[in-house]
C-alpha cells in the first residue's frame, strides 16, 4: 500500500487496537482536505483484513492488501454518492443496511463499508444508519471520512471512535513529492502554498485550476491590503457560481487572515495559508480584532452560500463587510 508520512501516533493507535483485539466497528477519520483521510481508511481496512501481517502492520502484498489497494476486494464497499452535492441518499444507506447482514466471503471474516467525504450526509441519512451502527453484525465495520466531526449528528459521533488526521512536516512532504517524481521547482511552490499537506501539494502540481484559485486568493488579499473595494468586489465576482471553487478560495483567504492575526503577535510564526508575504503585509495594517471580524465574515459568507442564498449577493455583502471593518 502507499507509504504514509506523518501521523505516526495515529498509526500506532490503530495497530494497538488490532493487536489487543479491540478494533472499533465504527471509525471516523477527520481533518482538512488532502491530509490523507482516505489513505488512513485504506490502512485501517488492510490492518483488519491482511492475511500476513508483519509486526502488527499490513504486509501490503497479500491478495487482500492488493485487492483493497486496487478497489477490487468483494467485501470492501466504497459507498456510492448521488446528487449534485455528492451526498449519500437514504435509499443507498437502506441497501447497505440490508447488505450488511450478508456474511463476508473471506477468511478474515470482515466486511467493510467506507463512506468518503461525508460533509454532505444529511440528518435523515445519518438517522437511517444509526441502528446498524449501534448494533452491527460482528463481522461488519464502518469507516467514515470528513473534514470535521461537526459534519455528523451527536448520536453518530457518540458511537464512533474518532481520529484526527494531520498534515506532516514540510520536510516529509518534500520527500514524498520527490519520491513521486515531481519537479523540484514545482515541489517548492506547492509547499510554499500548502506546507505539509501532501494531498493539496500534489493537487497544486497537477491541477491548473487550483493554481488559478490561489492567484485569485492572492489578488483578494492584495485588494484587502490596499482597501480597494472595487478590486475586491470585482475579484469576488470572477469566482463565478461553482460552490467548490468559492469554498476553496474563501477557505484559503480565511487562512491568510488567520496568519496575519498570528503574525501581529509573533512575526516568526509558521503560517498555514498560501500567501505568507500577503499575510505579513496585512499584519502591518490590521489589528487582531479586525482580523477576527473579517475571518468571521468570510465564514458567514460561505455558510450563507451553502444555504443557497444568491452567490453574487453573498459575496457582495462580504466585500462590504470587509471594507467597513478595515475603515
Amino acid at each position: 500500500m502507499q507509504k504514509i508520512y506523518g501521523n505516526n501516533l495515529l498509526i500506532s493507535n490503530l495497530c494497538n487496537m488490532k493487536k489487543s483485539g479491540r478494533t472499533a466497528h465504527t471509525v471516523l477519520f477527520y481533518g482538512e482536505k488532502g491530509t490523507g483521510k482516505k489513505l488512513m481508511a485504506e490502512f485501517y481496512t488492510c490492518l483488519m483484513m491482511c492475511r500476513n501481517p508483519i509486526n502488527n502492520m499490513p504486509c501490503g502484498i497479500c491478495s487482500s492488501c492488493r485487492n483493497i489497494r486496487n478497489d477490487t476486494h468483494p467485501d470492501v464497499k466504497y459507498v456510492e454518492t448521488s446528487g449534485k452535492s455528492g451526498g449519500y441518499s437514504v435509499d443507498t444507506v437502506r441497501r447497505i443496511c440490508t447488505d450488511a447482514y450478508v456474511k463476508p466471503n473471506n477468511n478474515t471474516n470482515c466486511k467493510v463499508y467506507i463512506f468518503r467525504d461525508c460533509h454532505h450526509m444529511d440528518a435523515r441519512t445519518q438517522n437511517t444508519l444509526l441502528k446498524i451502527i449501534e448494533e452491527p453484525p460482528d463481522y461488519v465495520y464502518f469507516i467514515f471520512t470528513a473534514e470535521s466531526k461537526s459534519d455528523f449528528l451527536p448520536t453518530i459521533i457518540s458511537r464512533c471512535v474518532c481520529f484526527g488526521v494531520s498534515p506532516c512536516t514540510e520536510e516529509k512532504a518534500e520527500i514524498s513529492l520527490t519520491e513521486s517524481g515531481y519537479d523540484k521547482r514545482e515541489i517548492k511552490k506547492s509547499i510554499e502554498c500548502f506546507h505539509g499537506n501532501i494531498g493539496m501539494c500534489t493537487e497544486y502540481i497537477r491541477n491548473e485550476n487550483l493554481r488559478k484559485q490561489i492567484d485569485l486568493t492572492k489578488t483578494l488579499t492584495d485588494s484587502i491590503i490596499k482597501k480597494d473595494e472595487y478590486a475586491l468586489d470585482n475579484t469576488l465576482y470572477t469566482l463565478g457560481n461553482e460552490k467548490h471553487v468559492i469554498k476553496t478560495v474563501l477557505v484559503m483567504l480565511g487562512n491568510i487572515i488567520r496568519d496575519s492575526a498570528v503574525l501581529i503577535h509573533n512575526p516568526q510564526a509558521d503560517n498555514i495559508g498560501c500567501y505568507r508575504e500577503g499575510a505579513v503585509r496585512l499584519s502591518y495594517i490590521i489589528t487582531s480584532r479586525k482580523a477576527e471580524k473579517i475571518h468571521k465574515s468570510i465564514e458567514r459568507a460561505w455558510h450563507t452560500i451553502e444555504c443557497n442564498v444568491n452567490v453574487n449577493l453573498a459575496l457582495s455583502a462580504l466585500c462590504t463587510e470587509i471594507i467597513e471593518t478595515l475603515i
Side-chain angles (χ1 to χ4, degrees), residues 81-100:
T81 58
S82 59
K84 291 182 178 180
S85 63
Y88 294 93
S89 71
V90 171
D91 288 340
T92 295
V93 169
R94 284 174 178 162
R95 288 195 294 271
I96 293 299
C97 292
T98 300
D99 183 72

Side-chain angles (χ1 to χ4, degrees), residues 30-293:
Y30 65 93
E32 66 182 67
K33 181 180 178 181
T35 50
K37 301 183 293 296
K38 295 170 189 175
L39 187 59
M40 281 298 175
E42 179 184 303
F43 175 84
Y44 188 57
T45 304
C46 287
L47 188 66
M48 292 186 290
M49 303 182 78
C50 178
R51 294 174 181 269
N52 303 300
I54 301 173
N55 296 326
N56 298 312
M57 294 280 284
C59 70
I61 57 176
C62 69
S63 58
S64 288
C65 288
R66 292 198 312 271
N67 289 335
I68 292 167
R69 184 176 63 248
N70 296 326
D71 296 346
T72 58
H73 198 294
D75 291 314
V76 179
K77 313 286 186 181
Y78 288 92
V79 183
E80 294 183 356
T81 58
S82 59
K84 291 182 178 180
S85 63
Y88 294 93
S89 71
V90 171
D91 288 340
T92 295
V93 169
R94 284 174 178 162
R95 288 195 294 271
I96 293 299
C97 292
T98 300
D99 183 72
Y101 290 98
V102 179
K103 290 188 176 181
N105 185 26
N106 67 79
N107 65 351
T108 59
N109 198 34
C110 288
K111 195 170 188 177
V112 181
Y113 297 93
I114 301 175
F115 292 79
R116 296 173 287 186
D117 300 325
C118 291
H119 53 283
H120 289 302
M121 183 182 285
D122 64 29
R124 291 189 311 132
T125 300
Q126 293 185 50
N127 283 323
T128 304
L129 270 171
L130 188 58
K131 181 173 176 56
I132 196 163
I133 286 177
E134 286 179 328
E135 300 176 356
D138 290 340
Y139 51 83
V140 170
Y141 295 83
F142 295 96
I143 301 176
F144 301 94
T145 70
E147 291 189 16
S148 171
K149 289 193 289 185
S150 63
D151 292 323
F152 292 88
L153 298 173
T155 48
I156 295 290
I157 290 297
S158 67
R159 290 159 177 82
C160 288
V161 177
C162 301
F163 295 103
V165 183
S166 305
C168 63
T169 64
E170 293 186 3
E171 291 75 18
K172 288 185 177 180
E174 183 176 1
I175 292 171
S176 174
L177 295 166
T178 301
E179 290 179 351
S180 297
Y182 295 117
D183 180 80
K184 287 185 177 180
R185 289 171 297 180
E186 293 179 327
I187 291 173
K188 182 180 178 181
K189 290 178 181 178
S190 70
I191 290 176
E192 285 175 354
C193 290
F194 294 108
H195 315 289
N197 187 322
I198 296 173
M200 290 305 297
C201 286
T202 303
E203 185 75 3
Y204 173 92
I205 294 171
R206 293 178 175 178
N207 190 338
E208 182 181 357
N209 287 330
L210 178 58
R211 295 195 293 273
K212 290 179 179 178
Q213 290 159 20
I214 288 171
D215 289 340
L216 285 172
T217 305
K218 291 181 177 180
T219 301
L220 288 171
T221 304
D222 291 338
S223 301
I224 292 172
I225 293 169
K226 296 174 184 176
K227 302 179 184 179
D228 188 336
E229 184 172 4
Y230 174 79
L232 181 60
D233 191 42
N234 187 59
T235 306
L236 287 169
Y237 180 79
T238 63
L239 296 181
N241 294 300
E242 293 291 334
K243 287 187 177 181
H244 70 279
V245 173
I246 296 169
K247 180 180 181 182
T248 298
V249 172
L250 291 184
V251 168
M252 291 192 295
L253 181 61
N255 286 340
I256 294 169
I257 300 299
R258 173 266 179 200
D259 285 343
S260 69
V262 172
L263 290 169
I264 291 170
H265 302 287
N266 181 8
Q268 305 304 318
D270 293 333
N271 59 302
I272 63 172
C274 62
Y275 190 24
R276 182 176 180 86
E277 179 189 345
V280 169
R281 287 193 286 131
L282 188 57
S283 70
Y284 295 152
I285 66 167
I286 200 172
T287 64
S288 298
R289 185 175 181 181
K290 287 184 177 181
E292 180 183 3
K293 190 173 181 180

